[in-house]
Amino acid sequence: EGAATVASRTAAPALVPELVDDDDLARANGLVQSTTLVTAALVGPALGGSLFALAPSLPLTVQTAAMALARTSTTLRGQILEGLRFTARESAVRVLAISTALLGASTGVLQGVFVVHVVTTIGADDAAYGWLFTVFALGSLGGGALLAPARARWGAWRCLVVAALLG
Protein backbone atom coordinates (compact mmCIF):
# COMPACT_ATOMS: atom_id res chain seq x y z
CA GLU A 1 0.00 0.00 0.00
CA GLY A 2 1.19 3.46 -0.81
CA ALA A 3 1.91 6.41 1.42
CA ALA A 4 -1.29 8.18 0.36
CA THR A 5 -3.46 5.26 1.48
CA VAL A 6 -4.22 6.77 4.89
CA ALA A 7 -5.31 10.09 3.42
CA SER A 8 -7.36 8.46 0.71
CA ARG A 9 -9.11 5.96 2.96
CA THR A 10 -10.11 8.64 5.44
CA ALA A 11 -10.94 11.41 2.97
CA ALA A 12 -13.20 9.44 0.63
CA PRO A 13 -15.79 8.37 3.24
CA ALA A 14 -15.60 11.79 4.90
CA LEU A 15 -16.56 13.50 1.63
CA VAL A 16 -19.53 11.27 0.86
CA PRO A 17 -22.01 13.12 3.15
CA GLU A 18 -21.10 16.34 1.33
CA LEU A 19 -21.87 14.79 -2.05
CA VAL A 20 -25.07 12.78 -1.58
CA ASP A 21 -28.45 13.19 0.12
CA ASP A 22 -28.98 11.58 3.52
CA ASP A 23 -31.30 8.97 1.98
CA ASP A 24 -28.49 7.79 -0.33
CA LEU A 25 -25.71 7.90 2.26
CA ALA A 26 -25.64 4.20 3.19
CA ARG A 27 -25.61 3.10 -0.45
CA ALA A 28 -22.92 5.64 -1.38
CA ASN A 29 -20.73 4.64 1.60
CA GLY A 30 -21.10 1.00 0.62
CA LEU A 31 -19.99 1.80 -2.92
CA VAL A 32 -16.98 3.81 -1.72
CA GLN A 33 -15.85 1.06 0.65
CA SER A 34 -16.35 -1.82 -1.79
CA THR A 35 -14.65 0.12 -4.59
CA THR A 36 -11.69 0.85 -2.32
CA LEU A 37 -11.33 -2.81 -1.41
CA VAL A 38 -11.69 -4.01 -4.99
CA THR A 39 -9.12 -1.49 -6.14
CA ALA A 40 -6.70 -2.58 -3.40
CA ALA A 41 -7.29 -6.31 -3.87
CA LEU A 42 -7.70 -6.60 -7.65
CA VAL A 43 -6.75 -3.55 -9.66
CA GLY A 44 -3.67 -2.44 -7.71
CA PRO A 45 -1.91 -5.81 -7.64
CA ALA A 46 -2.77 -6.52 -11.29
CA LEU A 47 -1.50 -3.11 -12.39
CA GLY A 48 1.61 -3.42 -10.20
CA GLY A 49 2.35 -6.88 -11.59
CA SER A 50 1.89 -5.68 -15.16
CA LEU A 51 4.18 -2.70 -14.60
CA PHE A 52 6.77 -4.95 -12.94
CA ALA A 53 6.65 -7.29 -15.94
CA LEU A 54 7.49 -4.33 -18.21
CA ALA A 55 10.33 -3.13 -15.98
CA PRO A 56 11.04 -4.04 -12.33
CA SER A 57 11.50 -0.37 -11.37
CA LEU A 58 8.30 0.82 -13.06
CA PRO A 59 5.86 0.30 -10.13
CA LEU A 60 8.07 2.38 -7.83
CA THR A 61 8.51 5.04 -10.51
CA VAL A 62 4.74 5.31 -11.09
CA GLN A 63 4.01 5.49 -7.35
CA THR A 64 6.68 8.16 -6.85
CA ALA A 65 5.21 10.23 -9.69
CA ALA A 66 1.69 9.85 -8.27
CA MET A 67 2.87 10.95 -4.84
CA ALA A 68 4.63 13.98 -6.32
CA LEU A 69 1.42 14.99 -8.10
CA ALA A 70 -0.66 14.57 -4.94
CA ARG A 71 1.51 16.55 -2.54
CA THR A 72 -0.35 17.80 0.51
CA SER A 73 -1.30 21.46 0.38
CA THR A 74 -1.12 23.87 3.31
CA THR A 75 -4.92 24.02 3.40
CA LEU A 76 -5.18 20.25 3.56
CA ARG A 77 -2.65 20.10 6.38
CA GLY A 78 -4.76 22.57 8.35
CA GLN A 79 -7.87 20.49 7.74
CA ILE A 80 -6.06 17.36 8.90
CA LEU A 81 -4.95 19.09 12.10
CA GLU A 82 -8.50 20.35 12.65
CA GLY A 83 -9.78 16.79 12.21
CA LEU A 84 -7.24 15.43 14.68
CA ARG A 85 -8.21 18.08 17.25
CA PHE A 86 -11.91 17.26 16.75
CA THR A 87 -11.17 13.55 17.19
CA ALA A 88 -9.29 14.25 20.41
CA ARG A 89 -12.23 16.30 21.79
CA GLU A 90 -15.13 14.03 20.82
CA SER A 91 -15.14 10.73 22.71
CA ALA A 92 -17.46 8.87 20.29
CA VAL A 93 -15.31 9.85 17.32
CA ARG A 94 -12.14 9.02 19.26
CA VAL A 95 -13.42 5.51 20.08
CA LEU A 96 -14.41 4.97 16.46
CA ALA A 97 -11.01 6.21 15.25
CA ILE A 98 -9.16 3.90 17.65
CA SER A 99 -11.38 0.96 16.65
CA THR A 100 -10.77 1.67 12.98
CA ALA A 101 -7.01 1.92 13.55
CA LEU A 102 -7.04 -1.43 15.38
CA LEU A 103 -9.09 -3.00 12.60
CA GLY A 104 -6.64 -1.66 10.01
CA ALA A 105 -3.68 -2.95 11.99
CA SER A 106 -5.23 -6.40 12.43
CA THR A 107 -6.08 -6.53 8.72
CA GLY A 108 -2.48 -5.66 7.89
CA VAL A 109 -1.23 -8.42 10.17
CA LEU A 110 -3.69 -10.88 8.63
CA GLN A 111 -2.62 -10.01 5.10
CA GLY A 112 1.02 -10.29 6.09
CA VAL A 113 0.70 -13.86 7.36
CA PHE A 114 -2.10 -14.96 5.03
CA VAL A 115 0.18 -15.59 2.06
CA VAL A 116 2.58 -17.59 4.23
CA HIS A 117 -0.29 -19.69 5.61
CA VAL A 118 -1.84 -20.32 2.19
CA VAL A 119 1.43 -21.25 0.50
CA THR A 120 3.28 -23.01 3.33
CA THR A 121 0.64 -24.58 5.56
CA ILE A 122 -2.07 -25.33 3.02
CA GLY A 123 0.37 -25.90 0.17
CA ALA A 124 -1.57 -23.83 -2.37
CA ASP A 125 0.16 -22.33 -5.38
CA ASP A 126 0.31 -18.69 -6.48
CA ALA A 127 -2.84 -19.03 -8.59
CA ALA A 128 -4.86 -20.28 -5.61
CA TYR A 129 -3.64 -17.34 -3.55
CA GLY A 130 -4.70 -14.98 -6.34
CA TRP A 131 -8.14 -16.59 -6.47
CA LEU A 132 -8.54 -16.16 -2.72
CA PHE A 133 -7.89 -12.43 -3.08
CA THR A 134 -10.35 -12.31 -5.98
CA VAL A 135 -13.01 -13.94 -3.80
CA PHE A 136 -12.19 -11.43 -1.04
CA ALA A 137 -12.69 -8.54 -3.47
CA LEU A 138 -15.95 -9.96 -4.81
CA GLY A 139 -17.20 -10.44 -1.26
CA SER A 140 -16.37 -6.80 -0.59
CA LEU A 141 -18.42 -5.76 -3.61
CA GLY A 142 -21.32 -7.89 -2.40
CA GLY A 143 -21.10 -6.45 1.10
CA GLY A 144 -21.08 -2.93 -0.29
CA ALA A 145 -24.15 -3.66 -2.39
CA LEU A 146 -26.00 -5.16 0.60
CA LEU A 147 -25.20 -2.35 3.03
CA ALA A 148 -28.14 -0.05 2.25
CA PRO A 149 -30.85 -2.76 2.40
CA ALA A 150 -29.28 -4.32 5.53
CA ARG A 151 -29.10 -0.94 7.27
CA ALA A 152 -32.70 -0.18 6.34
CA ARG A 153 -33.84 -3.53 7.74
CA TRP A 154 -31.67 -3.95 10.87
CA GLY A 155 -30.20 -0.50 11.55
CA ALA A 156 -26.65 0.81 11.48
CA TRP A 157 -25.65 -0.47 14.92
CA ARG A 158 -26.56 -4.10 14.20
CA CYS A 159 -24.82 -3.90 10.82
CA LEU A 160 -21.65 -2.63 12.51
CA VAL A 161 -21.71 -5.40 15.11
CA VAL A 162 -22.30 -8.14 12.52
CA ALA A 163 -19.58 -6.72 10.24
CA ALA A 164 -17.13 -6.63 13.16
CA LEU A 165 -17.95 -10.23 14.08
CA LEU A 166 -17.63 -11.45 10.48
CA GLY A 167 -14.58 -9.41 9.55
Side-chain angles (χ1 to χ4, degrees), residues 43-63:
V43 178
L47 180 59
S50 299
L51 292 172
F52 186 85
L54 293 172
S57 64
L58 200 50
L60 181 60
T61 304
V62 169
Q63 183 172 3

Short mmCIF file of all heavy atoms in Angstrom, two decimals, residues 43-63:
data_model
loop_
_atom_site.label_atom_id
_atom_site.label_comp_id
_atom_site.label_asym_id
_atom_site.label_seq_id
_atom_site.Cartn_x
_atom_site.Cartn_y
_atom_site.Cartn_z
N VAL A 43 -7.33 -4.46 -8.67
CA VAL A 43 -6.75 -3.55 -9.66
C VAL A 43 -5.30 -3.21 -9.34
O VAL A 43 -4.43 -3.31 -10.21
CB VAL A 43 -7.60 -2.26 -9.78
CG1 VAL A 43 -6.98 -1.29 -10.77
CG2 VAL A 43 -9.03 -2.60 -10.19
N GLY A 44 -5.03 -2.83 -8.10
CA GLY A 44 -3.67 -2.44 -7.71
C GLY A 44 -2.64 -3.54 -7.95
O GLY A 44 -1.64 -3.32 -8.63
N PRO A 45 -2.88 -4.74 -7.40
CA PRO A 45 -1.91 -5.81 -7.64
C PRO A 45 -1.76 -6.19 -9.12
O PRO A 45 -0.65 -6.46 -9.58
CB PRO A 45 -2.47 -6.99 -6.83
CG PRO A 45 -3.27 -6.33 -5.75
CD PRO A 45 -3.86 -5.11 -6.39
N ALA A 46 -2.86 -6.18 -9.85
CA ALA A 46 -2.77 -6.52 -11.29
C ALA A 46 -1.97 -5.46 -12.04
O ALA A 46 -1.10 -5.79 -12.85
CB ALA A 46 -4.17 -6.65 -11.88
N LEU A 47 -2.24 -4.19 -11.73
CA LEU A 47 -1.50 -3.11 -12.39
C LEU A 47 -0.03 -3.15 -11.97
O LEU A 47 0.87 -3.03 -12.82
CB LEU A 47 -2.12 -1.76 -12.03
CG LEU A 47 -1.46 -0.52 -12.65
CD1 LEU A 47 -1.46 -0.60 -14.17
CD2 LEU A 47 -2.16 0.73 -12.17
N GLY A 48 0.23 -3.35 -10.68
CA GLY A 48 1.61 -3.42 -10.20
C GLY A 48 2.37 -4.57 -10.84
O GLY A 48 3.52 -4.42 -11.26
N GLY A 49 1.72 -5.72 -10.95
CA GLY A 49 2.35 -6.88 -11.59
C GLY A 49 2.63 -6.64 -13.06
O GLY A 49 3.69 -7.02 -13.58
N SER A 50 1.69 -5.99 -13.74
CA SER A 50 1.89 -5.68 -15.16
C SER A 50 3.04 -4.70 -15.36
O SER A 50 3.87 -4.86 -16.26
CB SER A 50 0.61 -5.09 -15.76
OG SER A 50 -0.44 -6.01 -15.67
N LEU A 51 3.09 -3.66 -14.50
CA LEU A 51 4.18 -2.70 -14.60
C LEU A 51 5.52 -3.35 -14.30
O LEU A 51 6.51 -3.09 -14.97
CB LEU A 51 3.93 -1.52 -13.64
CG LEU A 51 2.77 -0.60 -13.97
CD1 LEU A 51 2.52 0.39 -12.84
CD2 LEU A 51 3.00 0.11 -15.29
N PHE A 52 5.54 -4.25 -13.29
CA PHE A 52 6.77 -4.95 -12.94
C PHE A 52 7.24 -5.83 -14.09
O PHE A 52 8.44 -5.95 -14.35
CB PHE A 52 6.55 -5.79 -11.68
CG PHE A 52 7.81 -6.44 -11.18
CD1 PHE A 52 8.67 -5.73 -10.35
CD2 PHE A 52 8.14 -7.73 -11.54
CE1 PHE A 52 9.85 -6.32 -9.88
CE2 PHE A 52 9.31 -8.33 -11.08
CZ PHE A 52 10.16 -7.62 -10.25
N ALA A 53 6.28 -6.44 -14.80
CA ALA A 53 6.65 -7.29 -15.94
C ALA A 53 7.31 -6.47 -17.05
O ALA A 53 8.20 -6.95 -17.75
CB ALA A 53 5.41 -8.01 -16.49
N LEU A 54 6.88 -5.21 -17.21
CA LEU A 54 7.49 -4.33 -18.21
C LEU A 54 8.89 -3.90 -17.80
O LEU A 54 9.81 -3.89 -18.62
CB LEU A 54 6.61 -3.09 -18.43
CG LEU A 54 5.25 -3.35 -19.08
CD1 LEU A 54 4.42 -2.07 -19.07
CD2 LEU A 54 5.44 -3.86 -20.51
N ALA A 55 9.02 -3.54 -16.53
CA ALA A 55 10.33 -3.13 -15.98
C ALA A 55 10.22 -3.19 -14.46
O ALA A 55 9.31 -2.59 -13.89
CB ALA A 55 10.70 -1.72 -16.43
N PRO A 56 11.13 -3.89 -13.78
CA PRO A 56 11.04 -4.04 -12.33
C PRO A 56 10.97 -2.72 -11.56
O PRO A 56 10.37 -2.66 -10.49
CB PRO A 56 12.30 -4.82 -11.97
CG PRO A 56 12.60 -5.60 -13.20
CD PRO A 56 12.21 -4.69 -14.35
N SER A 57 11.52 -1.65 -12.08
CA SER A 57 11.50 -0.37 -11.37
C SER A 57 10.24 0.44 -11.66
O SER A 57 9.99 1.44 -11.00
CB SER A 57 12.73 0.45 -11.74
OG SER A 57 12.69 0.77 -13.12
N LEU A 58 9.45 0.02 -12.62
CA LEU A 58 8.30 0.82 -13.06
C LEU A 58 7.23 1.03 -11.97
O LEU A 58 6.73 2.16 -11.84
CB LEU A 58 7.69 0.22 -14.33
CG LEU A 58 6.83 1.14 -15.18
CD1 LEU A 58 7.53 2.46 -15.48
CD2 LEU A 58 6.45 0.44 -16.47
N PRO A 59 6.86 0.02 -11.17
CA PRO A 59 5.86 0.30 -10.13
C PRO A 59 6.30 1.39 -9.15
O PRO A 59 5.51 2.26 -8.80
CB PRO A 59 5.70 -1.05 -9.40
CG PRO A 59 6.12 -2.06 -10.40
CD PRO A 59 7.20 -1.40 -11.22
N LEU A 60 7.56 1.35 -8.74
CA LEU A 60 8.07 2.38 -7.83
C LEU A 60 8.10 3.75 -8.51
O LEU A 60 7.75 4.76 -7.91
CB LEU A 60 9.47 2.00 -7.33
CG LEU A 60 10.11 2.98 -6.36
CD1 LEU A 60 9.27 3.13 -5.10
CD2 LEU A 60 11.51 2.52 -6.00
N THR A 61 8.47 3.78 -9.77
CA THR A 61 8.51 5.04 -10.51
C THR A 61 7.11 5.65 -10.63
O THR A 61 6.93 6.85 -10.40
CB THR A 61 9.10 4.81 -11.92
OG1 THR A 61 10.38 4.22 -11.79
CG2 THR A 61 9.19 6.11 -12.70
N VAL A 62 6.12 4.82 -10.95
CA VAL A 62 4.74 5.31 -11.09
C VAL A 62 4.22 5.80 -9.74
O VAL A 62 3.59 6.86 -9.65
CB VAL A 62 3.83 4.21 -11.68
CG1 VAL A 62 2.37 4.59 -11.59
CG2 VAL A 62 4.22 3.94 -13.13
N GLN A 63 4.48 5.06 -8.66
CA GLN A 63 4.01 5.49 -7.35
C GLN A 63 4.69 6.79 -6.93
O GLN A 63 4.05 7.68 -6.38
CB GLN A 63 4.24 4.42 -6.30
CG GLN A 63 3.68 4.85 -4.95
CD GLN A 63 3.71 3.76 -3.92
OE1 GLN A 63 4.19 2.67 -4.17
NE2 GLN A 63 3.19 4.05 -2.75
#
